[in-house]
Amino acid sequence: MNTSVSRADNTSANSLFRPPAVDRVRVGGFFGPRIQTIADKTAHTLLDRCIEAGMLDQVDPDRPNPGLRIPYQQGNDTVSTQMFWDSDFGKSIEAAAYTLLYKPDAVLEARIDEIVEAYGRLQDSNGYLNSWYQRIEPGKRWTNLRDCHELYNAGHLMEGAVAYYYATGKRRFLDIMARYADHISEVFGPRETQKPGYCGHPEIELALIKLGRATGEQRYIDLARFFVDERGQRPGGEHYYDREARERGKDPSDYHFGTYEYSQSHEPVRDQRHVVGHAVRAAYLYSGMADVSTEYGDDSLKPALEAIWGHLTRKNMYVTGGFGPSAYNEGLTFDYDLPNETAYAETCAAVALVFWASRMLGLGPDRAYADVMERALYNGALVGLSLDGTQFFYDNPLESRGKHHRWNWHRCPCCPPNIARLVSSVGTYMYGEADNEIAVHLYCDSAADLKVAGQSIKLRQTTIYPLDGKIRLTVEPEAPVEFTLALRIPAWSPKATIRVNGQQVEIATTEDKGYSRLNRLWQAGDVVELDLEMPVQEVHANPKIGNDQGRVALQRGPLVYCLEGVDNGDDLNSVLLRPESAFRCEAVEELGGVPALVTTGVRESIGDDQLYSIAAPRRQEVDIRAVPYHLWDNRAPGEMLVWIRKEGL
């Protein structure tokens, strides 16, 4: 048996890496119970709350027209969140579809079919499909791409249709959305008779790539490329949004957000170098750019993508993987502006960052992207879903005085189905497939049916990660085959060991961009054992983030931790870690058995009757207990704190 392992050549690193279809990865372990909860509760909850809000009344032409139920936004009288209802249905169907791969549910499937048939009845003969512009504001379609989410809605319906097709094999919804995509391709494009426009809220770019991959139709991928290429252009010297504003009789300068940085359309995408504007729109756009770069081997997009990525991760990202500190624009402000208590850090933004990072990995395995994908997934995104699967966070501060809690629903319910669809499809983010290489980006107990070198490969992960850093991978090719297996070595792990069939691998000789790339003739039953050291680590912030000075954040593996009042009492800012604080792990049964980090520190006080004192604070030794950030507010309400004071800093 061949037991030798060599470093892969660089040509493989430049291959296109695509994620496996969601139906080819079965996930257990850490995410398995969460997917089961989404199947049991969340999927029905999402549809219940969409229908209770009146969404099916708006979609189904056989029902009385509901009219305007949600007022236009104050200060922005062109927008009502009711315009986005198609997107909420699309994401909810997508999330529910993924759960059908784990748990057949005839009732859930029938509910989706009812909604799909309503869309089928609503669709125009030319393929157009938008419940707002067909039933609430007829006659205004394609007149305000800047504000009104027309193409964004189409994108989420397309993603829902692709997911439902993969889950059930039913083509009805897929065919409806393919007809709509064909109509959009007639309306938008470079010809004189077409509109050179694009959506104010990027999303359709991602959806068209998925639709093209699912149907095999290159024209949908070409349309995605058009939308990416056209963004920020000024055909005839005029910005498209200025032109359409004039055409509807509006002054282009009368724009609520003032600058087209808000929608990342201030300049052509290849000229952009900074993350700006609305956080979710930004990450969706960059995801689409990365997809286009991968599909076309278009290296001209890489300088922009790499520069923007660096600007986000080095100057504008929370330790949780969230971003976008401002509630005003749901997005970016200025570099190092990362307040904790007022952090917006929308759940959708962290979800979108996972999307973007995953697509950057389409250009080849690179720990710089995969580590951030993991950070955002386990912390800034996963916090958005309660353990029981029925409540949600929209914004995600890193400090709370006890008044911030999950919602049953939200006036703009984009986040609940977004986090649900991410978690229920998490298997597709774990792997990447290229012609001669399989990359393992995320570790979780799972079984995947993959393709490499023209052969089918079964890859099995056995692990309790992230509770422990030991991962066992079993490789089962149809026949002996040579390919490269790339395993991510997270930057947070100070020491890692790899054994192939019991023989230790010198990681230094195989590592490339944070992945150990193992090239060999693989045979059925080959076993790779990866052991990642997973110590408790104290994270220090750049001094330019003034809120975090004199403080540390705790992490173990991919999990960022926080203090909760339920464990530590209130006044969490009075608690300090000591330089010699040593942590032990203790399982928290009411949080699913995840380990809490426990140590001894001190609590300071100067007395409740004094605001200031010239005397040093009194100190009392206390136990300090931290739990994973994504699990806070699942027990008794109370304070929460990520950045903890520490003596000597």
Side-chain angles (χ1 to χ4, degrees):
M1 179 180 292
N2 179 10
T3 59
S4 64
V5 174
S6 64
R7 181 173 181 153
D9 62 47
N10 288 330
T11 57
S12 179
N14 296 323
S15 299
L16 302 181
F17 281 79
R18 292 183 175 86
V22 68
D23 59 341
R24 292 200 283 121
V25 184
R26 184 81 177 186
V27 177
F30 178 84
F31 283 105
R34 287 159 176 80
I35 296 172
Q36 191 64 46
T37 297
I38 295 171
D40 292 340
K41 292 184 180 180
T42 312
H44 284 284
T45 295
L46 293 172
L47 294 181
D48 287 344
R49 293 175 186 171
C50 285
I51 291 169
E52 288 166 7
M55 295 182 190
L56 191 55
D57 295 336
Q58 180 169 297
V59 170
D60 191 346
D62 290 349
R63 297 184 178 216
N65 193 317
L68 182 68
R69 291 188 178 180
I70 301 178
Y72 287 95
Q73 293 180 7
Q74 187 175 4
N76 187 8
D77 61 5
T78 61
V79 175
S80 162
T81 58
Q82 192 173 333
M83 291 175 174
F84 319 153
W85 277 358
D86 289 338
S87 71
D88 299 324
F89 255 155
K91 284 183 285 188
S92 297
I93 290 171
E94 184 182 355
Y98 296 141
T99 70
L100 293 173
L101 294 168
Y102 289 82
K103 178 189 174 185
D105 186 334
V107 173
L108 182 62
E109 200 168 328
R111 297 185 72 184
I112 296 172
D113 288 342
E114 179 188 12
I115 298 166
V116 169
E117 289 307 315
Y119 275 111
R121 291 191 292 274
L122 180 67
Q123 188 168 37
D124 279 1
S125 58
N126 66 5
Y128 183 84
L129 185 62
N130 181 289
S131 65
W132 174 268
Y133 283 110
Q134 288 174 280
R135 304 201 72 206
I136 311 302
E137 283 197 328
K140 293 187 177 182
R141 63 185 66 172
W142 309 133
T143 60
N144 189 351
L145 299 181
R146 184 191 71 185
D147 301 319
C148 295
H149 289 49
E150 217 163 342
L151 291 169
Y152 168 86
N153 287 337
H156 278 306
L157 288 173
M158 289 175 193
E159 291 198 79
V162 170
Y164 197 50
Y165 169 68
Y166 280 132
T168 65
K170 295 179 180 179
R171 291 196 59 97
R172 173 68 167 148
F173 199 15
L174 189 70
D175 290 341
I176 288 170
M177 295 315 301
R179 284 189 63 216
Y180 191 15
D182 290 339
H183 173 70
I184 292 169
S185 69
E186 294 172 0
V187 174
F188 295 94
R191 299 193 303 271
E192 266 190 39
T193 57
Q194 294 177 299
K195 294 179 180 290
Y198 43 86
C199 194
H201 196 313
E203 146 62 22
I204 194 171
E205 299 84 354
L206 290 71
L208 287 166
I209 297 290
K210 281 189 178 181
L211 185 63
R213 289 173 177 170
T215 61
E217 296 292 348
Q218 180 65 32
R219 65 182 182 274
Y220 301 139
I221 296 174
D222 291 342
L223 183 56
R225 186 183 197 180
F226 167 79
F227 285 134
V228 167
D229 289 346
E230 195 63 29
R231 193 170 208 87
Q233 302 289 348
R234 295 178 178 268
E238 186 174 34
H239 195 287
Y240 182 80
Y241 294 158
D242 289 349
R243 168 180 153 183
E244 72 168 10
R246 295 186 199 284
E247 288 177 351
R248 64 176 184 270
K250 298 290 186 179
D251 181 351
S253 65
D254 183 19
Y255 177 42
H256 180 67
F257 293 103
T259 170
Y260 293 146
E261 285 190 353
Y262 176 72
S263 55
Q264 300 79 40
S265 57
H266 55 299
E267 58 186 352
V269 296
R270 289 171 179 78
D271 297 335
Q272 297 185 29
R273 294 294 183 271
H274 299 91
V275 58
V276 295
H278 187 278
V280 182
R281 298 176 196 232
Y284 278 179
L285 171 62
Y286 310 144
S287 298
M289 290 167 61
D291 262 345
V292 168
S293 181
T294 296
E295 287 296 324
Y296 292 93
D298 186 351
D299 288 343
S300 70
L301 286 162
K302 289 176 68 174
L305 285 166
E306 290 169 354
I308 295 167
W309 180 272
H311 185 230
L312 170 65
T313 58
R314 295 175 194 144
K315 297 181 179 181
N316 290 282
M317 188 178 75
Y318 282 101
V319 71
T320 56
F323 75 107
S326 171
Y328 168 71
N329 67 344
E330 296 189 308
L332 285 301
T333 52
F334 52 88
D335 291 349
Y336 305 106
D337 181 30
L338 294 166
N340 295 316
E341 189 172 2
T342 60
Y344 199 69
E346 185 181 341
T347 296
C348 279
V351 170
L353 182 54
V354 173
F355 296 164
W356 179 21
S358 172
R359 286 159 173 82
M360 293 298 284
L361 291 166
L363 307 177
D366 189 332
R367 182 171 68 192
Y369 304 121
D371 278 5
V372 170
M373 177 171 71
E374 181 180 63
R375 181 176 295 274
L377 171 64
Y378 278 98
N379 302 288
L382 194 55
V383 70
L385 180 64
S386 65
L387 272 178
D388 70 2
T390 66
Q391 293 183 308
F392 313 92
F393 274 141
Y394 190 100
D395 51 325
N396 294 288
L398 281 72
E399 179 178 352
S400 170
R401 297 174 190 251
K403 302 297 184 184
H404 188 79
H405 303 294
R406 286 182 169 82
W407 298 66
N408 287 329
W409 203 232
H410 194 274
R411 62 185 178 277
C412 180
C414 53
C415 295
N418 223 4
I419 181 57
R421 71 179 179 133
L422 172 62
V423 173
S424 55
S425 64
V426 70
T428 195
Y429 298 93
M430 293 180 179
Y431 303 98
E433 299 171 301
D435 289 343
N436 293 294
E437 186 164 2
I438 291 173
V440 185
H441 303 308
L442 298 173
Y443 300 112
C444 182
D445 198 90
S446 58
D449 292 315
L450 305 174
K451 293 276 190 182
V452 68
Q455 283 202 34
S456 295
I457 308 287
K458 291 186 181 295
L459 189 62
R460 168 73 188 173
Q461 287 192 54
T462 306
T463 180
I464 60 170
Y465 186 96
L467 309 187
D468 181 89
K470 293 181 173 63
I471 302 106
R472 177 185 175 94
L473 299 103
T474 305
V475 184
E476 298 282 351
E478 290 177 315
V481 59
E482 183 178 354
F483 68 92
T484 299
L485 180 65
L487 306 179
R488 179 175 63 99
I489 310 298
W492 49 255
S493 183
K495 182 181 178 181
T497 59
I498 296 176
R499 289 181 173 82
V500 178
N501 295 332
Q503 289 192 345
Q504 186 157 328
V505 174
E506 290 296 328
I507 293 178
T509 67
T510 63
E511 187 172 350
D512 181 23
K513 295 184 179 180
Y515 280 70
S516 180
R517 301 178 62 233
L518 310 176
N519 181 261
R520 70 190 303 274
L521 180 69
W522 296 94
Q523 303 190 57
D526 283 346
V527 173
V528 181
E529 295 169 287
L530 172 63
D531 192 351
L532 301 171
E533 190 176 9
M534 194 177 283
V536 177
Q537 296 172 318
E538 296 180 355
V539 181
H540 300 263
N542 188 304
K544 294 178 182 178
I545 309 174
N547 302 285
D548 301 337
Q549 297 318 298
R551 298 171 182 263
V552 295
L554 302 176
Q555 68 178 27
R556 180 176 179 267
L559 299 180
V560 174
Y561 279 70
C562 69
L563 304 185
E564 278 199 275
V566 64
D567 298 311
N568 302 281
D570 288 337
D571 300 323
L572 295 177
N573 280 305
S574 69
V575 173
L576 287 87
L577 297 170
R578 289 172 167 163
E580 67 275 13
S581 290
F583 294 90
R584 65 183 185 274
C585 293
E586 293 183 0
V588 186
E589 295 306 323
E590 66 266 39
L591 294 178
V594 299
L597 307 181
V598 184
T599 190
T600 301
V602 297
R603 183 184 289 276
E604 291 186 334
S605 65
I606 62 171
D608 292 339
D609 59 341
Q610 290 179 280
L611 188 58
Y612 306 103
S613 173
I614 60 173
R618 297 187 295 272
R619 291 190 162 200
Q620 176 185 4
E621 187 173 279
V622 293
D623 286 337
I624 298 173
R625 181 179 295 266
V627 298
Y629 172 75
H630 75 266
L631 291 172
W632 86 275
D633 199 47
N634 273 287
R635 298 175 291 170
E639 293 187 9
M640 181 276 294
L641 186 67
V642 169
W643 287 95
I644 308 163
R645 296 170 63 205
K646 183 172 182 180
E647 288 182 340
L649 294 184

